[in-house]
Amino acid sequence: MTSSLPSSTQHRLQQLPQIPSVWEGDRRPFNGGALGEREDGEAGECILWVDGTEGLVRSMDVIPETSGMETVVRTLIRAMEMPRSPAPPCRPKKIVVRNRELQFLLRGILQDLNINVEYQAQLPLIDELFRTFDSIDDRRPDPIPPPFDAPLKKLAREIWHLAPWEVLTDLDIIAIQIPTLEEVPPLYACVMGMLGEEYGIILYRSLESLKTFREMAMGEDDNQCLEQVFLSQDCWFINYEAGGQGGTMPKENPLFFSASQDSQAMAIFGSIHPLEGIRPFIDEGEALAIYCALQGLANFVKAHHADFEAENLGLITKEVKVKHPLKPKINREQLLVRLSTQPDLTAEFLAQLGFEGEDDDDLLEDDLIPDNSYMSLGMVPWDLVHSLRSSPMVHYQAGEFRQKGDGMPVLMIQTSRPKAKDLIRRLQQEGEIAGLGFNVGRDPWTETKYDLGILKIGQDKLFLFGEFLLDAPAHRQAKKNWERRCRDTKGYCAVLIAMGVTGQSKGRPELRHMLGYFETRFLTPQELGLGHLRLSLGVDLDF
């Protein structure tokens, strides 16, 4: 590091008036709180330069702890030339520091500015300022009231492992009532995470707030406006974040905890209200209400997991008795929680998104996939994805996916070369592939349930590409892996069209066999908007 200022800087500082004052300067570790948090998650230090004679803070900066001494010098020059209001630009007569290394550095740098630099073990004004910062931080409420800290964190871990977002979308609203807690209004739970973008549960404190937020969010694209819409919600929330993504989570922060040995998921509790914004802490009354609501929701999902997994989202109600987390185990008080699905509300939200049910017998077609094609659900490694996207021999439809996990989830359709070319040509004519999803279908004569694979082509055409026994273990596992990969890719998958179905490459095509690669969205049953399909539809499902 250089030990002298440029001559132009020295000349500029020499033009400043010199006053007979003593300044104190220091850099010290801090833990956020009153001074704020560093966005990059690094451990930080605070640099302060104060006028001990006038009692003014002339400059302050927050830096990574790995920063060198030059940052202290830069902050000092700013204290002289551009001090915080109302201090005027000037030079001090004397500077005192408590770091010997800093003292010797400043002596060399400031020798032509007629400023004495002295060492002093105690810096009274800066010591008092940091004591004030600490006292402000000490008065901040705990993120979770201490009595509820362990019960809520344990419950959050259980919900993380239960993963309700694997069977519920953000449109599947669950109404929750806690009659014993008279001050708690009816809550409306919204589960986030099916697309893998954000995991958590929002507990809206009114139906009006839920509806208003969705209506406002659908009409805004501007980020600033969306932030205002977000802050207009009236809700409690539990949010999960992955410690391995983004900034490093501070280990000492009790707001976060490791969800399991093999997962770095962290949980955050808080509240949002239009008049107070985001509040990163809850009081005891809120903690009890949130605990009861989440425990009831967890029991509800466990009891009806099969219904939710099969997209059987008609009206389902249940009463749950939740044990008070703070009462003695013997004769522990039980709190009644009533839960129910809201199919009418889900239908209303779907209608807002443009997914309304239809009664047309020709809604689902089955003439897209060529006869005698070989199809499979699987995964394509990322290196092959990049080769497909850049190959001039492959027709390519792009999507805005996130590269995460072991590869892109893919539906492979392998047929002969002429049929593959015809299929690609038809997709281009129809408007290409808008989405891929699964929907439950039922044979009313045998009561057999199927998982129907469906492609959405263009704006509104739906084509059947496969039928799978809903309860078949192999299909259930394959679909679970598929949905996990789709969450990793931010809700995207792909359709791969290849030739070579009659040769040795059947089921294992090489790049030279691949003719079409379509990246598209993975659609939930709600987005498909079909409801439960029956064999009476005008489609030969070969049941």
Side-chain angles (χ1 to χ4, degrees):
M1 182 183 69
T2 182
S3 58
S4 62
L5 294 171
S7 57
S8 59
T9 302
Q10 290 190 31
H11 178 73
R12 196 174 66 248
L13 294 176
Q14 287 169 349
Q15 304 307 307
L16 296 174
Q18 188 170 37
I19 60 175
S21 61
V22 180
W23 292 3
E24 297 178 9
D26 201 11
R27 58 182 287 178
R28 299 186 184 182
F30 77 101
N31 60 354
L35 297 177
E37 303 283 355
R38 285 188 54 77
E39 292 185 0
D40 55 16
E42 290 189 49
E45 292 190 342
C46 178
I47 299 174
L48 274 175
W49 284 102
V50 300
D51 186 334
T53 305
E54 298 292 334
L56 296 173
V57 175
R58 295 190 64 91
S59 66
M60 180 172 69
D61 201 1
V62 176
I63 60 170
E65 65 176 359
T66 54
S67 300
M69 285 295 182
E70 66 273 9
T71 56
V72 183
V73 179
R74 287 198 293 266
T75 310
L76 171 60
I77 293 174
R78 194 162 66 246
M80 296 185 204
E81 291 192 297
M82 297 177 291
R84 297 165 65 94
S85 180
C90 62
R91 284 178 294 152
K93 189 66 178 176
K94 184 169 73 172
I95 284 174
V96 292
V97 295
R98 64 167 191 163
N99 182 295
R100 290 289 189 185
E101 181 185 355
L102 181 60
Q103 179 196 11
F104 295 140
L105 175 65
L106 289 176
R107 274 184 176 175
I109 291 175
L110 303 178
Q111 59 184 344
D112 294 330
L113 297 179
N114 194 28
I115 299 175
N116 295 325
V117 183
E118 297 182 2
Y119 170 83
Q120 192 171 293
Q122 303 291 329
L123 303 176
L125 191 55
I126 289 182
D127 292 341
E128 180 61 30
L129 279 171
F130 273 92
R131 280 195 294 271
T132 301
F133 292 153
D134 290 339
S135 66
I136 292 173
D137 195 41
D138 289 342
R139 292 195 294 270
R140 296 175 75 190
D142 294 312
I144 302 173
F148 286 91
D149 189 74
L152 269 178
K153 288 181 177 178
K154 180 182 177 183
L155 178 56
R157 282 192 290 269
E158 293 173 0
I159 290 174
W160 173 255
H161 292 298
L162 178 62
W165 39 82
E166 291 187 355
V167 293
L168 293 172
T169 74
D170 61 337
L171 301 177
D172 301 322
I173 306 302
I174 308 297
I176 303 174
Q177 291 182 305
I178 313 173
T180 315
L181 305 179
E182 297 180 356
E183 72 281 3
V184 178
L187 303 175
Y188 296 86
C190 174
V191 177
M192 311 292 294
M194 180 164 275
L195 293 182
E197 297 180 18
E198 192 172 335
Y199 298 96
I201 298 171
I202 303 175
L203 299 172
Y204 286 93
R205 290 184 284 246
S206 74
L207 182 58
E208 180 184 4
S209 173
L210 169 60
K211 288 186 172 184
T212 301
F213 169 70
R214 287 187 175 272
E215 290 172 2
M216 294 173 65
M218 286 177 61
E220 292 293 349
D221 293 320
D222 181 79
N223 286 338
Q224 280 192 326
C225 293
L226 283 173
E227 182 178 352
Q228 293 302 315
V229 170
F230 177 80
L231 294 175
S232 70
Q233 297 176 96
D234 180 11
C235 63
W236 292 308
F237 64 83
I238 170 176
N239 229 33
Y240 293 96
E241 293 186 358
Q245 299 177 7
T248 303
M249 298 296 182
K251 294 180 180 178
E252 69 278 8
N253 192 336
L255 211 59
F256 305 103
F257 67 90
S258 179
S260 69
Q261 295 281 343
D262 58 347
S263 174
Q264 294 302 312
M266 312 290 176
I268 309 169
F269 293 89
S271 172
I272 304 176
H273 189 275
L275 299 182
E276 63 175 341
I278 299 178
R279 171 162 48 86
F281 60 88
I282 54 178
D283 62 30
E284 289 201 8
E286 292 176 313
L288 179 58
I290 293 171
Y291 180 88
C292 291
L294 293 180
Q295 185 67 71
L297 181 62
N299 292 349
F300 191 54
V301 172
K302 290 176 185 177
H304 298 283
H305 194 277
D307 291 320
F308 297 147
E309 193 172 34
E311 287 94 33
N312 179 19
L313 294 174
L315 179 61
I316 302 173
T317 62
K318 184 176 179 62
E319 288 191 353
V320 175
K321 289 186 178 179
V322 175
K323 293 181 179 179
H324 196 298
L326 305 186
K327 300 296 183 180
K329 290 187 177 180
I330 301 176
N331 298 323
R332 178 177 287 185
E333 178 186 354
Q334 292 189 330
L335 305 171
L336 180 65
V337 181
R338 296 192 180 107
L339 304 102
S340 62
T341 56
Q342 301 291 293
D344 291 343
L345 191 58
T346 299
E348 180 182 333
F349 291 155
L350 284 169
Q352 291 175 355
L353 293 171
F355 298 106
E356 297 191 68
E358 298 185 34
D359 296 325
D360 187 356
D361 287 340
D362 297 324
L363 181 63
L364 190 60
E365 302 178 42
D366 67 342
D367 62 344
L368 179 69
I369 307 301
D371 292 338
N372 302 315
S373 296
Y374 176 87
M375 291 187 295
S376 66
L377 291 174
M379 176 271 296
V380 169
W382 293 119
D383 56 350
L384 181 53
V385 169
H386 297 312
S387 298
L388 288 166
R389 299 184 89 182
S390 59
S391 173
M393 305 302 294
V394 177
H395 176 80
Y396 170 54
Q397 173 182 306
E400 299 177 359
F401 64 90
R402 174 177 60 190
Q403 183 170 320
K404 181 184 175 184
D406 47 7
M408 174 71 84
V410 164
L411 164 66
M412 184 184 71
I413 304 172
Q414 192 175 17
T415 183
S416 65
R417 180 182 177 86
K419 290 181 179 180
K421 288 285 189 180
D422 288 342
L423 175 57
I424 293 170
R425 193 176 301 111
R426 181 175 177 185
L427 289 173
Q428 290 176 294
Q429 293 171 350
E430 298 280 3
E432 301 204 338
I433 301 177
L436 181 157
F438 295 90
N439 201 92
V440 173
R442 184 171 67 90
D443 180 352
W445 287 275
T446 65
E447 292 299 323
T448 304
K449 288 186 177 180
Y450 293 83
D451 215 4
L452 306 179
I454 296 172
L455 289 173
K456 183 176 182 181
I457 310 300
Q459 291 294 320
D460 53 9
K461 289 193 175 182
L462 300 176
F463 291 87
L464 180 72
F465 70 79
E467 307 142 22
F468 312 91
L469 284 172
L470 186 64
D471 296 326
H475 172 65
R476 289 167 65 92
Q477 186 59 47
K479 187 179 176 185
K480 186 175 182 180
N481 292 336
W482 171 275
E483 291 176 340
R484 172 179 56 80
R485 290 180 177 126
C486 286
R487 288 194 294 272
D488 286 344
T489 58
K490 206 174 180 180
Y492 271 83
C493 57
V495 177
L496 177 63
I497 300 175
M499 63 180 183
V501 71
T502 59
Q504 293 182 345
S505 62
K506 181 178 180 180
R508 299 186 301 274
E510 299 177 6
L511 179 61
R512 60 191 176 91
H513 298 113
M514 300 175 185
L515 304 177
Y517 177 69
F518 298 77
E519 291 166 354
T520 189
R521 291 180 56 233
F522 176 50
L523 302 176
T524 66
Q526 288 78 11
E527 288 173 313
L528 287 171
L530 294 173
H532 275 53
L533 297 177
R534 296 165 57 91
L535 187 59
S536 58
L537 283 172
V539 176
D540 181 10
L541 299 181
D542 297 327
F543 286 169

